[in-house]
Amino acid sequence: NHTKASGDNIETEFQKYLAAFSKSYKTVEEYKQRLENFRQSRIESAKLNSMNSRAVFGVTKFSDWTVEEFNSMMGAFPEHAE
């Protein structure tokens, strides 16, 4: 199942993602963090797909970004604790 976001499958899917979007990282630490971001993104996509039959959520060039990075790019302001 290509929407599965667990096990050995996720790293294989991540490697395909890296090739498809010509991505690479400078350190092993960044690779590991981006892999985790990607895993979380796939989990969220699967959840959204199960809730909405008229839309399809999946992998984009932003799938290895954190929520904060994506919101910053979209012009959203970070949440601040008062």
Side-chain angles (χ1 to χ4, degrees):
N1 184 345
H2 72 288
T3 60
K4 192 187 252 184
S6 62
D8 297 333
N9 212 24
I10 194 67
E11 191 147 12
T12 301
E13 190 176 342
F14 187 60
Q15 290 296 322
K16 291 177 184 177
Y17 164 80
L18 294 178
F21 291 100
S22 301
K23 291 192 172 227
S24 64
Y25 309 109
K26 293 180 182 178
T27 65
V28 172
E29 292 77 17
E30 183 180 12
Y31 174 90
K32 289 178 181 178
Q33 181 59 56
R34 297 298 177 176
L35 173 59
E36 179 58 21
N37 295 347
F38 182 81
R39 187 181 74 77
Q40 292 297 325
S41 176
R42 298 302 289 135
I43 290 169
E44 185 66 17
S45 293
K47 184 173 104 178
L48 291 169
N49 283 329
S50 72
M51 295 170 24
N52 187 341
S53 63
R54 292 193 283 184
V56 176
F57 300 89
V59 176
T60 71
K61 68 181 180 178
F62 306 112
S63 294
D64 65 339
W65 286 22
T66 63
V67 171
E68 294 80 12
E69 286 174 316
F70 187 77
N71 287 342
S72 175
M73 186 265 309
M74 296 301 291
F77 295 102
E79 294 182 30
H80 295 287
E82 295 287 325

